Amino acid sequence: MPEGDTVWQTARRLHTALAGQRLTRSELRVPRFATADLTGRTVLDVTPRGKHLLTRVEGGLTLHSHLRMDGSWKVYEPGERWRGGAAHQIRAILGTAARTAVGYRLPVLELLRTSEEERVVGHLGPDLLGPDWAPDIALRNLLAEPSRSLGEALLDQRNLAGVGNIFKSETCFLVRATPWLPIGRLPEPERLVAAAKRALEANRTRPGGSRRLYVYGRAGSPCPRCRTGIRGADQDGRPTYWCPGCQSGPSP
């Protein structure tokens, strides 16, 4: 599933391509909004909010999308072949005279009034990569349920927005605790918030697919810190990775 860094990169790419440009083509290929036409409107900005994308256009409208597991937005130059997937997977097309943005396999796509954005993102905690980032609020949210595991608490977007399964494992590695440790038992829990921020910041400008990862997806490889073999297991049905040598706490 795309995480905060990927969504941030997608928003930047879409903003660069569309912001300030008038739409010459607009197609929303979902039944509820199939007749909506944004042609002629100027795109104002594309803003990431956690794992959500908000494309704002003049007239007080926002196109809200979420990538979930395998959704994506691709940007193409005029005449360039579209390579993001089969034609039947296209859910949105936003074209200008210079570029065309195509949304593939988008499980969430809706058009709403910009004034109603809070309806779709108002439940989110502070955005780790957003201007609203507030570490004190994120920490308070996380500590509201001290018996909750670090992994579960980090994935709850109501606590802080942007961490997915990859950065759950990476953040726990950075604070030397297993993802199964109850958050109330973590010494200096503010370190967890700082580590999550650091992990996403370090990767948000790296090209897609080239994340700097310590443990995720590296089961059997030596820990970069202590050389113990990294382990992998499921946590609530999600693949999870940790080092049994330098991360303390319970584990399967």
Side-chain angles (χ1 to χ4, degrees):
M1 177 184 291
E3 309 202 17
D5 61 330
T6 301
V7 174
W8 186 91
Q9 290 176 3
T10 299
R12 184 175 65 169
R13 190 164 59 251
L14 289 173
H15 182 86
T16 300
L18 301 176
Q21 303 297 312
R22 186 173 64 87
L23 292 173
T24 58
R25 182 177 180 181
S26 163
E27 295 181 31
L28 304 182
R29 298 181 180 179
V30 292
R32 183 180 174 191
F33 301 103
T35 60
D37 186 5
L38 302 176
T39 302
R41 299 176 187 258
T42 297
V43 177
L44 303 179
D45 64 81
V46 182
T47 298
R49 183 72 172 84
K51 301 180 185 181
H52 300 253
L53 286 162
L54 303 171
T55 301
R56 301 179 180 120
V57 299
E58 68 175 340
L61 294 176
T62 294
L63 184 64
H64 166 232
S65 58
H66 195 297
L67 306 181
R68 293 268 174 89
M69 289 301 293
D70 62 349
S72 68
W73 280 95
K74 304 292 184 181
V75 176
Y76 301 106
E77 302 290 333
E80 183 180 1
R81 179 171 171 266
W82 295 4
R83 303 177 304 277
H88 73 269
Q89 296 177 324
I90 295 174
R91 296 292 177 267
I93 302 173
L94 299 176
T96 71
R99 295 182 180 87
T100 300
V102 183
Y104 292 89
R105 300 172 300 278
L106 300 174
V108 175
L109 185 70
E110 60 179 327
L111 190 64
L112 63 152
R113 304 296 304 180
T114 301
S115 59
E116 298 175 350
E117 286 180 358
E118 285 298 295
R119 175 172 63 80
V120 293
V121 296
H123 65 288
L124 299 174
D127 187 342
L128 283 152
L129 296 180
D132 70 320
W133 174 239
D136 53 335
I137 296 176
L139 179 60
R140 185 172 69 238
N141 293 344
L142 288 165
L143 293 176
E145 297 182 67
S147 63
R148 207 172 189 190
S149 70
L150 297 185
E152 185 182 6
L154 284 169
L155 287 178
D156 190 337
Q157 302 300 295
R158 296 170 299 178
N159 291 332
L160 69 176
V163 174
N165 203 46
I166 293 174
F167 287 110
K168 172 195 78 174
S169 293
E170 293 295 299
T171 299
C172 289
F173 175 78
L174 291 172
V175 299
R176 296 175 177 259
T178 71
W180 291 270
L181 181 74
I183 192 169
R185 288 172 48 193
L186 179 69
E188 301 178 88
E190 63 274 9
R191 294 184 300 125
L192 189 70
V193 173
K197 174 72 169 175
R198 188 163 71 251
L200 265 74
E201 286 282 3
N203 285 280
R204 72 170 173 175
T205 56
R206 293 179 67 85
S210 65
R211 286 173 170 138
R212 184 185 295 113
L213 303 177
Y214 297 108
V215 293
Y216 189 85
R218 300 186 65 239
S221 300
C223 168
R225 188 159 52 202
C226 73
R227 311 309 291 175
T228 302
I230 293 168
R231 292 183 58 190
D234 279 355
Q235 183 180 33
D236 298 325
R238 297 170 180 263
T240 301
Y241 301 86
W242 79 102
C243 172
C246 60
Q247 289 179 253
S248 62
S251 61

